[in-house]
Amino acid sequence: MVVVAVLVAGMSSTAHADNIRARDRMRILLNQIRRNHDLPCFFVNAELSHTAYLHSKRMAERGQIFHSTDLYRKVQSYSPSTWGENVGMADFLKRVRTLWMRSPGHRANILKARFRRIGIGVVKARGRVWVTTIFYGK
């Protein structure tokens, strides 16, 4: 019984660590784009990243991409004047970024100067990465 509990705790920690690495990689990829457009880099909001992670997890579990229906509720405690969300799924993070940059609405979110804070949630499932980014600014 004790061995099982230790194994489960170990797997949970590894999964969480992998998520943080993927989140940081996605932040780097998005900030590369922003630097190329002379925009300030995004700062990660860890609490909002957890919210984004839960949304990515729901998408992966359902096997489909969908936007939040209650996005303002997710960001309202930060008193934003502007907010947005990108969701995506692909084989790897660079591909998600590429697809977002080819989509006018997703691209606009990434390049919006007033967006300074971001929550990023990445889930690896079904042979894909499922990504949610929640942006906000004041």
Side-chain angles (χ1 to χ4, degrees), residues 4-137:
V4 172
V6 170
L7 289 175
V8 169
M11 289 187 300
S12 176
S13 296
T14 302
H16 183 66
D18 288 344
N19 177 267
I20 290 172
R21 281 193 297 273
R23 178 191 75 193
D24 289 344
R25 179 69 181 138
M26 193 72 214
R27 178 188 51 82
I28 289 167
L29 290 169
L30 294 175
N31 280 336
Q32 286 172 347
I33 296 293
R34 286 180 65 90
R35 276 193 302 277
N36 290 342
H37 288 84
D38 295 321
L39 293 167
C41 289
F42 289 122
F43 293 100
V44 170
N45 176 319
E47 182 179 14
L48 191 58
S49 290
H50 180 69
T51 300
Y53 169 80
L54 293 175
H55 186 78
S56 293
K57 185 177 175 190
R58 282 190 296 277
M59 292 191 305
E61 288 168 351
R62 293 183 193 174
Q64 63 184 33
I65 297 170
F66 54 91
H67 283 279
S68 298
T69 57
D70 57 350
L71 186 58
Y72 179 70
R73 186 184 59 74
K74 293 177 179 182
V75 298
Q76 73 183 30
S77 64
Y78 309 112
S79 302
S81 61
T82 185
W83 57 91
E85 176 184 65
N86 284 1
V87 294
M89 176 270 300
D91 293 338
F92 47 92
L93 292 174
K94 278 189 175 183
R95 181 70 177 149
V96 172
R97 181 187 69 176
T98 298
L99 293 170
W100 282 346
M101 291 305 290
R102 290 181 182 167
S103 162
H106 293 97
R107 179 185 175 91
N109 281 341
I110 293 167
L111 298 179
K112 187 170 185 171
R114 290 180 55 204
F115 285 157
R116 296 298 311 279
R117 306 274 182 209
I118 189 171
I120 304 170
V122 179
V123 171
K124 296 176 184 177
R126 300 175 179 247
R128 305 275 193 267
V129 288
W130 302 77
V131 185
T132 302
T133 54
I134 303 172
F135 309 89
Y136 69 96

